[in-house]
Amino acid sequence: MKKYSAIFFDWDGTAVTSRNVPADEACKAMKPLLAQGIPLVIISGTTYEKIAGGKLEEFFTPKELENLFLGLGRGAYQYAYTPSGEPYVFADLLPNKEKLLLIHQVCFEIHQALLRDYDFATDIVFTRPNYCKIDLMPEHDRGEQLFMQGDELVALGEKLKTHGIQGGLKGLLDLAHKLGQEKGLNVLSTCDAKYLEVGVSSKSDNADMIMRHLMKRGIAPKDCAFFGDEYVGVEPGIFGSDSFMKTNLTSEGDFFDVSSIEGERPQGVQVIGGGVDAFLNFLREQAAMDRK
């Protein structure tokens, strides 16, 4: 196995099975690598408060925290830690209020069009700082498992057909792009089957901004690993949110999917399955390599 110089990974479904379960096992697996000076980078669409209950820094020493980074909120926030171990945002991509309101308008117009033209009801979460979440299946409750489930792809496809939406998810993404263009926005949309997320930045921005930061430390993209559980395509050519970690800058890295959901992945993504256990075992194996 290759010893990686840095490891990027999703949180929900990759490092933990649920935001509500203790993060002890994940942090225990992370700790030796951080102590060795290996940067670990959490890339997630959520906020800092939803990672280990907002107390992630309490699991590590200030020295270990020098090598821990987080890219959160679809490009919104890039976190590092102060010498005393306090999290701080060293870069952000937050739209001003005018642009955020335009994002809200685009999402509400998508909601209106689906309800008006197809009798397709949605809910919208407006409280994100740089995007909106359009719930395409409000009748379906994920419970504590907030990542994509295998049966959701089938369920959404059947629902779209039932309501006469022939263009599928691509049609929804095209609609979001068209409405954004009308308002002067370059809309970036992703979908994990249940949620259509519409904003002006993505996990690509998180990955690129932190990758550039690590390159200043002499770390090359080709020596990095990128782990997630949502690479699988929700439709031909339309991939899950973790696929956005694969950018022009990071493409020479190694990409791994711990999900066993059948389907197409972006070229070069290795499907290893095994879920959270497989990822945590990978961290343990990486930490042990220097001791052999």
Side-chain angles (χ1 to χ4, degrees), residues 109 112 162:
E109 289 181 17
Q112 287 181 305
T162 298

Side-chain angles (χ1 to χ4, degrees), residues 8 37 39 62 73 86 131 133 172 210 244 269 282 290:
F8 291 64
E86 296 295 321
Y131 71 100
K133 292 168 67 95
L172 298 183
I210 297 181
F244 283 76
V269 174
F282 167 81
D290 280 352

